[in-house]
Amino acid sequence: MAVFVALGAFLMTLAGGWVAQRVTDRRHLVLGLAGGLMLGVVGLDLLPEAIGAAGGEVFGVPAALLLFVGGFLVAHLVERLLAGRQAAHGAGGDERVPQVGLTAAAAMVGHSLMDGIALGAAFQVGGGMGAAVALAVITHDFADGFNTYTLTRLYGNARRKALLMLFADALAPIVGAATTLLFTLPEELLGCYLGFFGGALLYLAAAEILPEAHHTHPARSTLLCTVAGVGFIWLVVGVAE
């Protein structure tokens, strides 16, 4: 059942990527919406789940929050290192670093893989739990597909690479759900991963996606798209609960 439901996540991910590439004439609106979706996923979905699952505290701070900060710092460090390497080879300071986009998209694929594992684990608990998790996964995988394609293209990667990362992101929930037939992932490990990934995703939204969205088009419509993205994830989380 979990693998069958993951097929719905596969289709929703592809639908999100399709929407992202079809509205290229409104790039600032796409980026504004993507930033809102990423912010909503981190603040309203990933972080609360990570805090609840990761377990105890480390020196007075929840482990998930420490990893959240660590993910933010690692994403910043990776981008600076890659940008410095590209500058050393003669690239301009304003040029995007394609590897950053691919790394970010790969992290989205890893997140979708964990979605599939969470889906399979929920069905191991019971049908009701599985249905609730399925609703959350299938709905917010639209945002995952949208963000995966947008992130890859934003950093200057070719459309072919963006489509490959989108397809990998769409397949990941199916693979993750299938693996739960073989083993069970410890809840604490899943929570720690979600915290770390949430920090990296927040960095990309706050430091890259949203500034780029407002750079050439500081329009009210862009801000409304960002708010709409957050509101959409809020609605998804509320319905799933």
Side-chain angles (χ1 to χ4, degrees):
M1 175 61 75
V3 176
F4 177 77
V5 172
L7 290 174
F10 172 85
L11 296 176
M12 287 297 286
T13 302
L14 293 181
W18 181 83
V19 170
Q21 64 177 310
R22 292 290 293 180
V23 290
T24 52
D25 58 329
R26 294 289 185 268
R27 185 170 179 268
H28 60 291
L29 299 181
V30 171
L31 293 175
L33 179 61
L37 290 171
M38 293 166 72
L39 178 60
V41 166
V42 172
L44 306 179
D45 186 16
L46 290 181
L47 197 53
E49 185 176 346
I51 293 174
E57 298 181 348
V58 179
F59 204 64
V61 179
L65 290 181
L66 283 177
L67 287 164
F68 174 79
V69 174
F72 189 98
L73 293 175
V74 167
H76 176 62
L77 178 62
V78 167
E79 185 187 38
R80 291 300 89 201
L81 288 175
L82 291 174
R85 179 177 298 178
Q86 183 163 336
H89 287 81
D94 294 332
E95 293 185 19
R96 294 289 177 179
V97 184
Q99 294 92 332
V100 173
L102 292 176
T103 301
M108 294 296 295
V109 174
H111 169 57
S112 294
L113 183 68
M114 289 298 182
D115 277 348
I117 293 174
L119 183 62
F123 273 102
Q124 289 179 0
V125 173
M129 175 67 72
V133 173
L135 177 62
V137 168
I138 290 176
T139 308
H140 93 253
D141 270 0
F142 177 88
D144 285 352
F146 188 99
N147 289 332
T148 298
Y149 185 87
T150 302
L151 282 168
T152 309
R153 291 289 284 155
L154 176 64
Y155 284 87
N157 290 285
R159 181 173 178 270
R160 180 179 61 84
K161 289 186 178 180
L163 290 175
L164 285 174
M165 296 307 297
L166 174 64
F167 190 70
D169 189 48
L171 281 176
I174 300 176
V175 175
T179 60
T180 60
L181 302 175
L182 305 175
F183 68 91
T184 301
L185 184 70
E187 184 180 13
E188 292 79 6
L189 180 60
L190 177 60
C192 289
Y193 170 80
L194 292 177
F196 183 85
F197 174 68
L201 200 61
L202 181 63
Y203 174 81
L204 293 171
E208 298 293 335
I209 300 294
L210 291 177
E212 180 72 14
H214 293 275
H215 178 62
T216 55
H217 292 275
R220 185 176 303 173
S221 57
T222 307
L223 178 59
L224 291 176
C225 283
T226 303
V227 174
V230 175
F232 174 74
I233 299 300
W234 188 10
L235 177 63
V236 170
V237 172
V239 170
E241 291 294 331

